[in-house]
Amino acid sequence: MTSTTSVQSTSAATGGRYFPARVRLLTNQAVEPGATLTVPVAGVSSLPVSGIESVAINVTAKGNGDSGSVVVYPSGEAEPNSASAGYDRVHYAATMLVTKIGADGQINIANQGTTNVNVFFDLLGYTLKEPNGQGLAYVGLNQQRILSPTGIGAAGNMELQPMGKGGVPSSGVKAVALMVTAKGSSTGTVRVYPAGAGWPLEASIDYPQNVPQHNLVIAELGTDGKVNVHNLSWGSAEVAVDVVGYFTATADAPRSAVLRSVSPLRIAEKLVIPAGGDKVVDPRGINGVPVLNTTSVGLGVTALGVGSGTVQVHPAGTTTPAGQTLSYAPDTEVTGFTLTQLGSDGKVNLHNTGSSPVTVWVDALSYAELVNRVFPTPASPGEAIENITGVADLNTGVTSDSDNIAITSKTDDSGTTTLKVSRNPQQGVTVTGDAGTTNLKLPASGTASRTAAGTIIYRGTTDNYSIGVQPTADGGFRTFAHLNNASAPTGYSFPMSLPSGARLAIDDLDGSALIVKEHETGVEEVELLEEVTRIEKPWAKDASGRSWPTSYSIEGNTLKLNIDLTPAAGASGSTVSPAFPVVADPSVKRNCGIITCSWYFSKATTRSIKSKFDTRGWTVGTASGIICGLIPHAVAKGACAIAVAYYYNSAFNNTRAAYDRGGCLVVRVNVFNGATPYTAWRTVRFANVGITNKYCYSK
């Protein structure tokens, strides 16, 4: 995938160093079913008021009457189709995450379950977007056991020395990343913290009786380089510890890396791992995880089995470790998180120890990137693109004909989507689905060629740039501008033909582009504005891995990609210019297939819904008919009808709030691949926007 004829090396110097901290952000806060809570981070207690990129946060949750899950994601972004932490009604389940926060310094937590959940948030550390000459680098390790199962008595404490064990150096270490397992003879908690330090508020693990629990812990080293492992219980607990990495201030530590975060994204869906079997996942190139220079990746793993067992996540090509990422029980979803090192091929392995199959979902939240990065010089535009995107999520079921260099088709319960990539760039890319046909013409010339991995390349109208297209496995596609040199244009226009009644819009929330469609149902001239396709927010990266500002603009039915390559101030204050080639990407997701589809009820319709509630009663049955019954998408309509039985307070409250502010009611549903109403209903969210929102029509 990479050329070895020339190598360009550059120092990362882009922030991402880790700063230990201990700050409680939430204390036993109740979150209703289907509700979202925004939690301030920046400026709380001793935390910086700005510049935080990601946090290491321990999420502890307990349901009031049932099991479920919560998702933690950056404020100001759409709720992802992923799970961050699971919960039940027996104990406070703890899951530590390394995850991104919003540009406003806040994070959201959404309750995906059917019962109220009580949540604690405890911050253990953070990273900054830009370097300040301080902080710790991270070095990932192959997971190794440094404490075999050891009994700790009631209210007992033991000191553990991680240095010199499991690949951790004997000096220069400030903190360690540990996978801790605990099983108690009674109920209780385990706390892992620096030796000699005061007892922390947060529990690393809350365990029920005789049920093993696992959690990742980032612990600072204390007196003599040790950590305390304390068992707060009336009974004894058996504790085992594995090390997955360490943090150091040593400038020249081998394979030292910085921690970066991405918006949570599901990268593997419904993987069925046979009894005693394995599945391999390649996270690189997906959701901004770099193909090059990535050493470890922060993965959330959710498992559902018909039996009992454990899932162990470890580098591909290595021996399965003794420690587990999570344990699962029959017919119960369990979620865990780990920072796992990548194998020599850049992949991770998931091993099922159970005696029956287990179904697994995998989400990417963060990654570790080498401080001193090395970038092979690509031999072609296709190679340059694949060095950034990887090839793990490309569609392998591609056919062709005399007119089209690539044809794909995706059929599931959400419908059928057919993608055709023409050999002629003026014919461009055509997507046909249940919402109609969309065509995107390409600013290129000549005929198409295709790399061995599946990236399609067109020559630009000048020799200064090329255009690329990648059909993806989810039924969508990515298109790229490959800027060869500084003479390349920084604006690229993509004329589009849209389905009847549809138009282009820019999402003010995150800068992505939307194809939206107006629906009439006879009550008002325009009752509903539906998001039918999302073109994800653009990005651009240069040959040294530096990101450059990008944006969309709209001129009629033409989408324009704008790239700002104005030299910027570097970490040392010097001016930094882009290193060519530069690759920029607009990515098109299939119609209501794997993204959050949104329906905006007009202000007049929202008033009508409120009036009908007042007349007919604020009941689940009323909500199902007057809200869900108007949604034109069959799966989303059914999912909404199920969801209101559990999320009725959210539906009622958002209807009232929209009415009171003179705005619009909004319904969002993640209609992901293979979705049915019974699998998608937990993703339904009710919201409201003001009349100033461009999608909130007054009539």
Side-chain angles (χ1 to χ4, degrees), residues 271-273 302-311 326-334 352 354-361:
L271 294 179
V272 179
I273 309 177
T302 300
L304 175 63
V306 295
S308 299
T310 67
V311 174
L326 59 84
S327 294
Y328 61 87
D331 302 318
T332 303
E333 284 190 5
V334 181
N352 174 25
S355 58
S356 56
V358 63
T359 302
V360 171
W361 296 258

Side-chain angles (χ1 to χ4, degrees), residues 70-300:
V70 297
V71 59
V72 178
Y73 61 100
S75 172
E77 296 189 7
E79 181 182 330
N81 175 34
S82 62
S84 302
Y87 63 81
D88 58 40
R89 60 183 180 182
V90 177
H91 75 305
Y92 280 91
T95 307
M96 201 213 79
L97 311 169
V98 178
T99 191
K100 183 181 178 183
I101 74 168
D104 61 358
Q106 302 185 103
I107 51 177
N108 288 340
I109 178 170
N111 180 10
Q112 299 175 324
T114 61
T115 183
N116 278 14
V117 61
N118 286 77
V119 181
F120 291 85
F121 270 12
D122 290 286
L123 184 140
L124 303 178
Y126 61 91
T127 69
L128 297 177
K129 298 175 185 176
E130 298 295 336
N132 66 355
Q134 303 178 51
L136 305 176
Y138 177 72
V139 180
L141 301 169
N142 288 345
Q143 182 172 325
Q144 294 189 50
R145 177 142 289 177
I146 60 173
L147 177 68
S148 297
T150 300
I152 302 177
N157 188 79
M158 70 168 294
E159 289 190 344
L160 175 65
Q161 173 59 269
M163 291 200 298
K165 299 177 181 177
V168 179
S170 56
S171 63
V173 177
K174 300 297 184 181
V176 285
L178 306 173
M179 184 61 68
V180 181
T181 300
K183 182 179 179 181
S185 60
S186 181
T187 60
T189 62
V190 168
R191 285 169 168 79
V192 182
Y193 57 99
W199 203 51
L201 287 173
E202 82 280 356
S204 304
I205 289 178
D206 183 310
Y207 57 82
Q209 186 176 15
N210 294 323
V211 179
Q213 299 292 303
H214 316 274
N215 197 17
L216 182 71
V217 177
I218 295 179
E220 284 187 88
L221 301 185
T223 306
D224 298 325
K226 298 178 181 179
V227 296
N228 279 336
V229 183
H230 182 80
N231 174 36
L232 180 60
S233 174
W234 294 108
S236 62
E238 188 176 74
V239 177
V241 179
D242 295 75
V243 63
V244 299
Y246 65 90
F247 294 84
T248 179
T250 304
D252 58 351
R255 291 184 61 77
S256 62
V258 293
L259 289 179
R260 310 312 303 254
S261 58
V262 294
S263 300
L265 180 74
R266 183 141 289 170
I267 63 171
E269 183 94 28
K270 297 180 182 178
L271 294 179
V272 179
I273 309 177
D278 301 85
K279 287 288 185 180
V280 174
V281 173
D282 187 349
R284 301 168 305 158
I286 305 175
N287 195 34
V289 177
V291 174
L292 304 173
N293 302 298
T294 298
T295 62
S296 299
V297 64
L299 299 177

